[in-house]
Amino acid sequence: MAGKGTKKGKDMLQLLISIATVILLNYIGSFYFFRLDLTAEKRHSLSDATIEFLNDLDDVVYVKVYLEGDFPAEFQKLRNATKEKLDNFRAYANGNLEYEFINPSASEDLKTNEEIYHELTKKGLQYNNIKIQTKDGVGEKIIFPGAILTYKEKEIPVQLLKSQMGVQPEIMVNNSINNLEYELSNSIRKFLIDSKQKIAFIEGHGELNSLQVADFKQTLEEYYVVDRVKIDGLLSSLDGYQAIVIAKPDSVFNDKDKFIIDQFIMKGGSAMWLIDPVQANKDSLRTSSMALGVTRYLNIEDQLFKYGVRLNHNLIQDLQCGAIPITVGYTGNQPRTELFPWFFDPLMIPQSKHPIVNNLDAIKGEFTSTIDTIASSKAKKTVLLTSSRYSRVMNSPVRISLRMVDMDPNKSMFNKPFLPVAVLLEGKFESSFKNTILPPEIKSSPDIAYREESEGARMIIIADGDIMKSHTTIKNGEEFAYPLGKDQYSNAVYGNKDFLLNCMNYLMDDSGLISVRSRELKLRLLDQTRIIEERFFWQFINVGVPILVIIVFGFIQFYIRKGKYSS
């Protein structure tokens, strides 16, 4: 009896020690915060840049997520991933992040729901019209896969679902989940920006006007100070700017302006060039069924060649393309139009995994040309955009006719795949004036501080100025611009704005944003064919094997006990 009492006392002592240890560990843990992420790609961890943004918050960010309700499985997955990501954010925000999930279709009153839809659309969220199975058959449901972030008196909409052309829904949802941290941390960063870097849109050479770039400029102004600057030979015209944008010039650059741009780059400035090597205009087809695309010389071709690229005087035709409206008849006195494929408007789906273009939707071009890179250049070259697998080139001069839409394309003629359209250059550049005889006063002037080589700079060259152009129309007697990337004929929204914004973030060396943007979580999809072929085997493995294991252990235990107590 004494032995039993001693054993019982020891067990109680061990229990008390265990309880005390757990309490002590919890108490110590309350003073330290750490998380363990054992996944290969650290999918449950936040980047250092995101954590820094969250630590900088001095007030509460309130997130309203409109992903609540009865959804198909893929939207439910996005909803759960969003909640998990917000929980991660809240863990590092020191109490400065709160969220709630809202069902915008919760009311049984359709009018109330429509008012909510209108308000959310007005705030900048886009809705999706999805098909769902109901007891009466197949129905449609409007959902808003987005969120509204509020900080102090500021409010920012965030689109959580990123649509991508030609991508399976489960992959599209996975890509959207990949981007959750970027979209949310990017919005928080907008709240925290105090001093902004400066960007200059160069004008004076027939570049896109203020209305044509208004939508993109407005987007940039969330991050940077953006001005329109006319160089006009003034050496100090680009002082204080970190980057310049040259958007679809149509006039010749004089040597003074070229020199000022060149020295801006030599001193570490970044540049985005959107150049049309061939002059072609879709508007000319409104009055005539035929137009001619001719070579456009801007006197910057030699400068870009020295930096590392050659713009080719040709136009791409691509079977993966946008559409153009053609009048096919009349109903009474009203023209009846239909949309036809227009091979001169390539839809470029990024093939590169570079963070600038990773997971982006298709980018729409218009009379796009090709780019060659120069091997002798010291700069590192990365192709960002290409045509599709089924493309070809037509050298200038190019005959452009609306009758092309009536032709059945011969796929064998479109045999020039993945033609480069946009290239990133980064590293050291030689001045395009290096081997030019310059006046001594220029080389020796401390105000000019002439350099023959840059220490390090970045440039992006795009052989299509229309990628940045918002199409315009006349409404109520005033000129109105469509959002950048929205097709005025089909109302499809392409990834032009996201692409250009990523380009500028990269040029401005927003390394924090780029590091978040470049993260990729692998989508481990099940092999549907193998599931069907090996269905019985895997059902047996998952259901039958655990039962057999339990039975075997039961028999083993039975014989052990039998042998123990029978003796």
Side-chain angles (χ1 to χ4, degrees), residues 29-60:
S30 66
F31 295 97
Y32 301 96
F33 174 75
F34 67 94
R35 313 184 104 198
L36 295 177
D37 186 352
L38 303 180
T39 57
E41 60 268 24
K42 302 299 179 185
R43 65 172 59 225
H44 303 297
S45 300
L46 300 180
S47 68
D48 293 339
T50 298
I51 293 173
E52 184 179 346
F53 295 153
L54 293 170
N55 288 335
D56 287 341
L57 291 173
D58 59 2
D59 202 347
V60 175

Side-chain angles (χ1 to χ4, degrees), residues 103-115:
N103 182 0
S105 306
S107 175
E108 296 182 358
D109 182 13
L110 293 179
K111 186 176 180 181
T112 300
N113 289 339
E114 288 177 359
E115 290 175 354

Side-chain angles (χ1 to χ4, degrees), residues 439-540:
E441 58 269 22
I442 290 181
K443 285 192 172 184
S444 60
S445 171
D447 295 330
I448 297 175
Y450 171 73
R451 294 185 183 181
E452 290 189 341
E453 188 175 280
S454 69
E455 294 182 359
R458 291 174 173 175
M459 279 188 277
I460 292 175
I461 296 92
I462 305 170
D464 185 354
D466 293 300
I467 282 180
M468 191 180 282
K469 178 182 175 182
S470 292
H471 292 282
T472 59
T473 187
I474 302 297
K475 283 190 175 183
N476 301 323
E478 294 185 3
E479 195 172 13
F480 165 82
Y482 287 91
L484 178 59
K486 183 170 184 177
D487 185 85
Q488 72 268 42
Y489 305 127
S490 65
N491 286 326
V493 179
Y494 298 103
N496 295 43
K497 186 190 293 187
D498 289 337
F499 166 65
L500 293 172
L501 180 58
N502 287 349
C503 286
M504 191 53 66
N505 286 156
Y506 193 84
L507 292 178
M508 299 296 277
D509 197 23
D510 280 339
S511 55
L513 282 179
I514 294 299
S515 66
V516 178
R517 183 76 173 83
S518 61
R519 295 189 68 186
E520 183 174 5
L521 308 181
K522 293 181 180 178
L523 179 63
R524 296 175 173 89
L525 298 176
L526 296 177
D527 187 333
Q528 298 297 329
T529 303
R530 189 178 176 189
I531 287 173
I532 295 172
E533 292 176 350
E534 303 176 10
R535 180 177 180 181
F536 176 76
F537 173 76
W538 291 109
Q539 283 178 336
F540 177 74

Side-chain angles (χ1 to χ4, degrees), residues 315-548:
L315 292 178
I316 293 175
Q317 282 196 324
D318 199 324
L319 294 184
Q320 184 175 279
C321 60
I324 190 171
I326 303 293
T327 301
V328 296
Y330 287 84
T331 302
N333 61 349
Q334 295 297 317
R336 189 173 74 255
T337 62
E338 293 182 10
L339 292 176
F340 290 87
W342 184 241
F343 303 139
F344 288 108
D345 286 1
L347 300 182
M348 294 163 282
I349 298 176
Q351 306 296 318
S352 171
K353 291 298 182 181
H354 192 280
I356 290 178
V357 293
N358 192 26
N359 294 334
L360 284 186
D361 202 355
I363 291 97
K364 182 176 181 291
E366 184 175 317
F367 295 119
T368 305
S369 301
T370 65
I371 293 177
D372 289 335
T373 56
I374 310 304
S376 60
S377 171
K378 297 180 181 179
K380 176 186 174 183
K381 307 165 191 70
T382 304
V383 175
L384 299 177
L385 290 182
T386 68
S387 62
S388 79
R389 184 181 300 276
Y390 303 105
S391 54
R392 66 174 182 173
V393 294
M394 301 180 71
N395 293 320
S396 175
V398 182
R399 186 172 179 271
I400 304 166
S401 174
L402 290 178
R403 294 180 182 177
M404 292 178 178
V405 301
D406 297 326
M407 300 177 185
D408 189 18
N410 184 352
K411 189 175 289 187
S412 64
M413 297 176 63
F414 291 79
N415 56 3
K416 299 289 184 183
F418 308 121
L419 298 167
V421 171
V423 176
L424 165 68
L425 305 177
E426 48 190 338
K428 292 185 176 181
F429 298 93
E430 283 189 353
S431 169
S432 60
F433 291 83
K434 182 176 181 178
N435 298 318
T436 303
I437 300 176
L438 296 172
E441 58 269 22
I442 290 181
K443 285 192 172 184
S444 60
S445 171
D447 295 330
I448 297 175
Y450 171 73
R451 294 185 183 181
E452 290 189 341
E453 188 175 280
S454 69
E455 294 182 359
R458 291 174 173 175
M459 279 188 277
I460 292 175
I461 296 92
I462 305 170
D464 185 354
D466 293 300
I467 282 180
M468 191 180 282
K469 178 182 175 182
S470 292
H471 292 282
T472 59
T473 187
I474 302 297
K475 283 190 175 183
N476 301 323
E478 294 185 3
E479 195 172 13
F480 165 82
Y482 287 91
L484 178 59
K486 183 170 184 177
D487 185 85
Q488 72 268 42
Y489 305 127
S490 65
N491 286 326
V493 179
Y494 298 103
N496 295 43
K497 186 190 293 187
D498 289 337
F499 166 65
L500 293 172
L501 180 58
N502 287 349
C503 286
M504 191 53 66
N505 286 156
Y506 193 84
L507 292 178
M508 299 296 277
D509 197 23
D510 280 339
S511 55
L513 282 179
I514 294 299
S515 66
V516 178
R517 183 76 173 83
S518 61
R519 295 189 68 186
E520 183 174 5
L521 308 181
K522 293 181 180 178
L523 179 63
R524 296 175 173 89
L525 298 176
L526 296 177
D527 187 333
Q528 298 297 329
T529 303
R530 189 178 176 189
I531 287 173
I532 295 172
E533 292 176 350
E534 303 176 10
R535 180 177 180 181
F536 176 76
F537 173 76
W538 291 109
Q539 283 178 336
F540 177 74
I541 292 293
N542 285 284
V543 178
V545 169
I547 295 174
L548 286 176

Side-chain angles (χ1 to χ4, degrees), residues 307-320:
Y307 297 152
V309 298
R310 178 176 60 220
L311 297 175
N312 298 313
H313 299 120
N314 57 29
L315 292 178
I316 293 175
Q317 282 196 324
D318 199 324
L319 294 184
Q320 184 175 279

Side-chain angles (χ1 to χ4, degrees), residues 89 92 106 117 138 165 173 200 244 264 269 318 355 441 465 477 488 503 518:
F89 274 49
Y92 290 97
Y117 299 159
V138 178
M165 294 181 60
V173 168
I244 59 173
F264 173 80
D318 199 324
E441 58 269 22
Q488 72 268 42
C503 286
S518 61

